[in-house]
Amino acid sequence: MNQNIKRFSPLRQALFTGAIAAVTAFVMPAWSSSVHTPLKDSPKAVLDEAWQIVFREFVDGEFNKVNWQAQREELLSKNYTSREEAYTALRKSLEKLQDPYTRFMDPKQYEALTNQTAGELSGVGMQLTLDEKTKAITVVEPIKNSPAIKAGILPGDRVLSIDGVSTAGMTVEQAANKIRGSVGTNVSLRMGREGEKEFDLTLTRARIELETVTYRVNNEGNRKIGYIQLREFNSHAAEQMQEAIEALTKENVQAFVLDLRGNPGGLLRTSIDIARMWMDTGAIVSTVDRNGKSQEIRTNRTAMTKLPVVVLVDGNSASASEILAGALKDNQRGVVMGTQTFGKALVQSVFALSDGSGLAVTIAHYYTPSGTDISHKGVTPDVKVDISDDQKKQLATDPKLIGTPQDPFYAKAISILAGVGGNRPLAINESK
C-alpha cells in the first residue's frame, strides 16, 4: 500500500474519529515520480499529489462511478492564482466521491489534527471557558504538570488580558489561539481571582501532554468501583489507561465502569492496545480493503484485569470507541450499556502533502468480532438507558455529576454490577 509514498514515521498510525472518520494512518510527504517537475512550484503540484493518493488508496475502486482520470485532467487544466483556489477545486473533486470522510485539510487543519492525535499541545496548559454570567474568559482547570499549574493558576481564575490585549469580547477559541505558541516562547497574562487583586504572570510555553484518561475509586455501599473515563484514543491514551487500571487494581476495586460517552475516536493502534488490556483472548476487529482482503486483529493474552466491567456509550461514542465496545460485547467480556452508538465503520489513512496540507482517504471497512457491520447503525447496547431531556441538561451543565449516583447511566451500571439480590460483583455472562 502506498508504494510511491516514502514513510518517515516508524509505523502507520490508524485513527478513528467520529468527526472526520475512522482508521487513519499518517504518512509523511514525498514527491511521486509522476508529478512533473514544472508542477512542483505551482498549486497544481498538491492537486496531483492528492489525486494520485486517492487513485491508489480509496476504498471504492470504481470511485463512486466517477471518472477519476477525467477529474485529474480537469484539476490540472485550470490555472490557479492561489493555493486557496486550488484547495477549493480539490475539495469539489473529492465531494463527487460522496464520502464525507475522504477530505482535504489545509495546513492549519492538518496541524490541528496531528496535534489532536498526538495528545499534545504547545501552550501553558489551561482549559478555558466563557463564564455565562460575567462573560469573562475563565480557567476551568489547569492541566497537570503544565506551566499554568506550576505558576499557581487555579480553577475559576479569570484571564483578563493576553500580551497586553484585553480579552473582553473574545471567544474562548480566540483566547486559546493567542495563548498557544511555540515551545520556549513567553506569554504575558493578567489574571483576576475572586477576593484578590489582579496580578500579572509571564509563562513559558511548553509541550503539554493532554490528560485523556481520568479515574477514581467510587465507594458504593460496601463495594469499591473503579470508574475510568476515556475521552479519546490519542497517542498517550494507552499508557494513561494502563496507569489507571494499575492504580485502581492496587486499591482493590471489585469491578470497573469504563465510560466512553462522548468519545469521538482516535488512533487505531491505541484502541487495540486498550482492548488487549481488558481482553485476554478473542478477536478485536477485522478490516476489509478495496480488494476484499480481510485482516483480523486479535488479543495477545496481556489482559491486566479479569474483573467485571460495564462500558458506558452514547450516540457520540464513535469509531475507536465502537471498536472497543464492540470487541468487549462480542467476546462477552463486558456489558455495553447506554444508547446506540454513532455508527462509524470506515477505515482511513491520513497523508501529509508536500505543502504542509493533508488528505484523509477512506481505505477500508471494519467489522466487529462477530462480523457485524455497524455503519450507520452503531453498536447496540446490551442494556439500553433512556434519560429525559432534563437529565441530559443537568449532566451537561454540571459535569461533576458524571460518574456519580446522580448520573442515570452510572447508577444503572452500579445496579448491574451488584447483581440481583446481592452485593457481589455481577459476572459478565450473567448480564446477558
Side-chain angles (χ1 to χ4, degrees):
M1 186 177 288
N2 306 327
Q3 296 301 314
N4 295 330
I5 302 292
K6 183 178 180 181
R7 297 170 180 78
F8 290 86
S9 55
L11 59 90
R12 290 168 59 99
Q13 299 185 73
L15 168 78
F16 292 89
T17 316
I20 66 157
V23 191
T24 316
F26 286 95
V27 183
M28 298 303 291
W31 283 101
S32 171
S33 59
S34 62
V35 180
H36 301 299
T37 301
L39 291 179
K40 287 189 178 182
D41 295 325
S42 88
K44 296 182 182 181
V46 170
L47 300 186
D48 199 42
E49 237 183 311
W51 181 91
Q52 292 176 61
I53 291 168
V54 172
F55 180 71
R56 288 192 306 271
E57 306 291 343
F58 188 58
V59 65
D60 178 6
E62 294 185 355
F63 305 101
N64 188 38
K65 301 190 183 303
V66 173
N67 185 331
W68 197 242
Q69 182 64 48
Q71 285 299 298
R72 180 177 188 265
E73 294 172 2
E74 181 179 333
L75 285 170
L76 298 184
S77 67
K78 297 178 181 178
N79 292 319
Y80 303 100
T81 58
S82 67
R83 290 195 179 277
E84 287 68 28
E85 188 178 351
Y87 292 167
T88 299
L90 176 57
R91 288 189 173 104
K92 288 181 178 179
S93 286
L94 294 175
E95 286 174 1
K96 295 177 182 179
L97 299 174
Q98 294 187 12
D99 172 22
Y101 307 107
T102 293
R103 67 185 185 98
F104 172 78
M105 293 164 281
D106 64 32
K108 286 187 177 180
Q109 292 170 328
Y110 179 70
E111 182 183 16
L113 175 64
T114 54
N115 286 340
Q116 178 187 351
T117 55
E120 298 177 350
L121 57 79
S122 173
V124 300
M126 296 187 297
Q127 296 178 13
L128 302 176
T129 188
L130 186 68
D131 188 283
E132 291 185 1
K133 294 181 179 179
T134 66
K135 304 302 180 184
I137 300 294
T138 304
V139 177
V140 177
E141 188 177 15
I143 297 172
K144 183 172 64 176
N145 298 323
S146 68
I149 204 166
K150 292 175 183 177
I153 291 176
L154 301 175
D157 285 353
R158 302 183 306 280
V159 182
L160 304 177
S161 70
I162 304 167
D163 286 333
V165 178
S166 172
T167 60
M170 279 190 191
T171 65
V172 171
E173 183 178 3
Q174 288 170 335
N177 286 337
K178 287 187 71 65
I179 292 173
R180 295 189 190 109
S182 302
V183 172
T185 60
N186 293 334
V187 60
S188 297
L189 304 176
R190 188 163 185 80
M191 307 294 295
R193 181 174 294 168
E194 189 69 29
E196 298 185 17
K197 292 182 179 180
E198 296 177 3
F199 57 96
D200 296 311
L201 292 172
T202 299
L203 304 181
T204 301
R205 297 179 177 101
R207 179 64 62 180
I208 300 163
E209 177 182 328
L210 299 178
E211 188 176 57
T212 191
V213 176
T214 56
Y215 63 92
R216 64 177 180 267
V217 176
N218 287 348
N219 292 301
E220 306 295 349
N222 61 355
R223 294 174 297 126
K224 288 185 175 182
I225 303 297
Y227 173 77
I228 302 176
Q229 184 180 44
L230 174 59
R231 296 186 181 91
E232 63 180 334
F233 292 77
N234 64 33
S235 62
H236 292 291
E239 62 196 60
Q240 291 180 19
M241 179 63 71
Q242 180 178 341
E243 175 187 332
I245 296 174
E246 288 175 347
L248 293 171
T249 300
K250 288 180 181 178
E251 293 286 341
N252 296 314
V253 298
Q254 294 163 285
F256 290 94
V257 174
L258 176 60
D259 197 341
L260 301 180
R261 288 175 293 175
N263 186 319
L267 296 172
L268 171 60
R269 172 50 55 189
T270 299
S271 69
I272 294 168
D273 290 344
I274 290 177
R276 287 171 172 167
M277 295 177 192
W278 294 98
M279 295 167 49
D280 220 30
T281 59
I284 298 171
V285 66
S286 61
T287 62
V288 179
D289 65 17
R290 68 192 279 177
N291 299 315
K293 183 179 180 181
S294 177
Q295 180 183 13
E296 184 182 70
I297 300 170
R298 301 184 62 84
T299 55
N300 56 3
R301 296 189 177 276
T302 56
M304 299 178 63
T305 179
K306 295 183 179 180
L307 291 174
V309 57
V310 173
V311 184
L312 305 183
V313 297
D314 65 10
N316 293 314
S317 303
S319 299
S321 295
E322 294 173 296
I323 289 294
L324 179 57
L328 294 174
K329 176 185 176 180
D330 287 1
N331 286 280
Q332 297 187 4
R333 172 62 184 93
V335 175
V336 176
M337 199 197 76
T339 60
Q340 204 79 8
T341 62
F342 185 81
K344 176 59 60 199
L346 297 175
V347 179
Q348 285 189 309
S349 283
V350 169
F351 300 83
L353 303 177
S354 57
D355 70 342
S357 59
L359 185 71
V361 181
T362 298
I363 62 170
H365 296 271
Y366 73 76
Y367 300 85
T368 70
S370 65
T372 302
D373 179 3
I374 65 165
S375 184
H376 306 299
K377 296 180 292 185
V379 174
T380 301
D382 297 304
V383 179
K384 293 187 177 181
V385 178
D386 294 315
I387 63 175
S388 67
D389 290 339
D390 287 342
Q391 288 173 314
K392 291 177 183 178
K393 185 177 180 180
Q394 187 178 24
L395 290 176
T397 56
D398 192 357
K400 291 181 180 179
L401 297 180
I402 295 174
T404 73
Q406 286 71 48
D407 176 352
F409 286 77
Y410 176 81
K412 182 65 175 178
I414 296 307
S415 173
I416 291 173
L417 290 168
V420 178
N423 292 323
R424 63 185 177 79
L426 180 68
I428 291 304
N429 61 5
E430 294 176 352
S431 69
K432 299 291 184 181

